[in-house]
Amino acid sequence: MDDFLAARSQMALSLGFHIIYSCIGMVMPFFMAVAHFRWLTTRDETYRNITKTWSKGVAIFFVTGAVSGTMLSFELGLLWPGFMEHAGPIFGMPFSLEGTAFFIEAIALGFFLYGWDRFHPWFHWFTGVVVGISGLVSGILVVAANAWMNSPAGFDFVNGQYLNVDPIKAMFNEAWFSQALHMSIAAFVATGFAVAGIHALMLLKGRNVGFHRRAFHIAAVFGTVAALVQPLSGDFSAKDVARRQPAKLAAMEALFHTEKPASLVLGGIPDEKTQRVNYAIKIPGMLSFLAHGNFTQEVQGLDRVPVADRPPVLIPHLAFQLMVGLGTLMMGIGVLYLLARWRKKAWLQSRWLLQLFVVATPAGFLAVEAGWTVTEVGRQPWIINGVMRTADAVTPMPGIAYSFYIFSAVYVSLSFMVVFLLSRQIRMVPELYDVEAPTSAHA
């Protein structure tokens, strides 16, 4: 493995692990706050137990997210010094503010974990809400930094020099809102379905039914609502990408040739040598509509992009198809769940509905990983879109492959530790709160 590929692989590995930890760390506090609110208003001890159990999970992911995020910070400087030399002063503000949000989150989490029976109940609940809000803000700020790489702003690039730096304009670049919105909703979808799936599995096994039934419904509502809203965000993001990064859109859709109107490609395997998409289903005019809001407008293909500036096609296209397919699956399950709560109460007692959630447990995080693959691979060969190439930013130091192997071992070990700690927490749910019959659908 050459050093350039090793550096890219290490960043991909680090981001791939960190995004899971950070999504759960951003979203779980809101689940926790809802359970806590239910306990304060109903005095049902099961909700108190759910809150305490989830708070331990939040603490686990807060720690692992902090560790993986710190490693990423070092990697940016060690692996991509050319990038940080020029980009650091421009887009450093969101990272600085993210550090502030992180410290607020840490303080609030400490208050919440150790504030039971020490603070006023509603102030204690409020500290849990602060954990969620600060975590969400932290994630949005990091996404704003990534959005700057896709839509660089806040400086003038003259003769290889970065002049007239405006950190505020850089942070609030044209891409930050669409990316932050799409990522935040995706975090709720992924975490909601993952948590609901775990509790659905426990219900199928008949364990601690009262506890897991209530926990399942809280997570399922969050995941379902987010999954139904996400297509609106996706449509907004698609139109934004079509305007700012037409080469990325062309790679996502495997659009080798400019079309007017442009067909939407479903599935298929792109062949970059022949510039064809094999085994695909095409919907005439639909890509024009998704990109520009009408069925007749032209959509730029890769034939209008210089060969040296074209992104890979196979990986972004397959990742995009995977993301959309999994999102559609979760939408369908979400519709069935809402219908069950609204009109078909008997479905809430059925095993098949729980089994659907179990099957969908990893779907949200697979979709998140696929979405980030589209974002990063679709921007290539640029690390700063249209300004700096990825190959020009990598460190000249040799031996990066060894660093990649070491970091891979660290992340795999960290993941095993997380799985062990979480499984132990699930097994420790006390039988004392198993107050309902296994077939109950009570939320």
Side-chain angles (χ1 to χ4, degrees):
M1 180 182 293
D2 63 67
D3 288 336
F4 180 56
L5 179 59
R8 291 188 63 191
S9 298
Q10 183 171 323
M11 285 299 299
L13 176 80
S14 302
L15 285 168
F17 276 97
H18 179 68
I19 197 64
I20 296 175
Y21 303 147
S22 59
C23 280
I24 298 174
M26 287 164 54
V27 173
M28 277 297 294
F30 291 101
F31 296 6
M32 180 181 75
V34 169
H36 196 182
F37 179 84
R38 292 285 288 164
W39 176 69
L40 290 174
T41 54
T42 67
R43 291 298 166 176
D44 184 335
E45 287 293 325
T46 306
Y47 285 114
R48 176 186 172 101
N49 196 42
I50 293 171
T51 305
K52 286 192 170 185
T53 301
W54 278 350
S55 68
K56 294 174 182 177
V58 169
I60 291 170
F61 281 104
F62 177 82
V63 172
T64 52
V67 171
S68 59
T70 301
M71 294 168 70
L72 272 172
S73 299
F74 282 110
E75 288 175 12
L76 281 173
L78 294 174
L79 299 178
W80 312 102
F83 169 69
M84 292 303 295
E85 177 186 0
H86 300 289
I90 303 172
F91 80 144
M93 178 173 285
F95 280 127
S96 300
L97 295 175
E98 190 273 337
T100 302
F102 173 81
F103 283 119
I104 294 173
E105 182 183 7
I107 294 168
L109 182 59
F111 280 176
F112 188 84
L113 292 175
Y114 298 102
W116 289 98
D117 303 321
R118 292 181 175 88
F119 296 138
H120 186 281
W122 285 106
F123 176 77
H124 184 220
W125 171 81
F126 175 73
T127 62
V129 174
V130 171
V131 174
I133 293 174
S134 56
L136 186 61
V137 169
S138 178
I140 290 172
L141 289 167
V142 171
V143 171
N146 178 267
W148 179 85
M149 298 165 68
N150 290 314
S151 181
F155 66 96
D156 294 324
F157 188 63
V158 182
N159 297 326
Q161 299 294 315
Y162 297 78
L163 307 174
N164 303 320
V165 173
D166 184 345
I168 300 296
K169 188 176 180 180
M171 183 168 67
F172 295 107
N173 57 79
E174 291 187 356
W176 85 269
F177 180 74
S178 62
Q179 280 197 214
L181 178 66
H182 197 61
M183 182 61 223
S184 298
I185 298 174
F188 277 92
V189 176
T191 307
F193 272 87
V195 174
I198 292 171
H199 290 291
L201 180 62
M202 295 298 104
L203 287 171
L204 288 171
K205 292 182 177 182
R207 297 179 182 175
N208 307 303
V209 173
F211 175 95
H212 290 295
R213 179 71 66 183
R214 289 168 170 81
F216 166 77
H217 284 300
I218 293 173
V221 168
F222 270 102
T224 292
V225 172
L228 295 177
V229 172
Q230 185 69 308
L232 301 177
S233 167
D235 179 69
F236 180 65
S237 296
K239 289 179 170 56
D240 184 59
V241 170
R243 178 174 57 85
R244 292 183 301 95
Q245 293 177 286
K248 178 184 286 187
L249 180 70
M252 291 161 50
E253 291 293 340
L255 187 67
F256 291 104
H257 305 285
T258 301
E259 295 184 6
K260 182 182 180 180
S263 300
L264 179 68
V265 175
L266 298 180
I269 301 176
D271 186 334
E272 296 187 50
K273 291 183 179 180
T274 62
Q275 297 194 354
R276 296 172 59 89
V277 185
N278 301 314
Y279 318 112
I281 299 173
K282 293 188 176 182
I283 305 177
M286 185 58 68
L287 181 58
S288 294
F289 176 76
L290 293 176
H292 301 294
N294 64 73
F295 291 96
T296 60
Q297 191 162 337
E298 179 182 274
V299 178
Q300 177 182 318
L302 290 171
D303 55 346
R304 293 190 180 175
V305 180
V307 175
D309 296 341
R310 293 179 187 177
V313 177
L314 179 63
I315 293 176
H317 178 71
L318 295 181
F320 182 68
Q321 298 293 313
L322 177 63
M323 179 185 69
V324 173
L326 292 172
T328 303
L329 170 67
M330 290 182 287
M331 280 182 58
I333 296 173
V335 169
L336 291 174
Y337 175 74
L338 290 183
L339 183 61
R341 290 188 67 98
W342 180 40
R343 297 293 296 271
K344 302 288 186 179
K345 299 293 185 181
W347 290 3
L348 295 175
Q349 303 179 31
S350 64
R351 293 182 62 84
W352 64 263
L353 184 61
L354 295 176
Q355 289 168 344
L356 284 176
F357 275 94
V358 172
V359 170
T361 299
F365 286 114
L366 290 174
V368 167
E369 298 285 8
W372 275 100
T373 299
V374 172
T375 298
E376 296 304 299
V377 178
R379 191 181 60 245
Q380 300 307 311
W382 306 100
I383 191 169
I384 306 175
N385 189 47
V387 177
M388 177 183 286
R389 292 181 182 271
T390 308
D392 296 333
V394 71
T395 178
M397 296 298 293
I400 302 302
Y402 299 106
S403 173
F404 169 64
Y405 300 142
I406 293 171
F407 272 73
S408 298
V410 170
Y411 277 111
V412 170
S413 300
L414 190 62
S415 297
F416 275 118
M417 291 174 60
V418 170
V419 171
F420 168 74
L421 291 172
L422 289 178
S423 61
R424 189 180 69 168
Q425 289 300 320
I426 293 172
R427 291 195 303 268
M428 289 174 62
V429 173
E431 297 287 343
L432 176 63
Y433 296 96
D434 187 13
V435 295
E436 295 181 2
T439 58
S440 172
H442 181 260

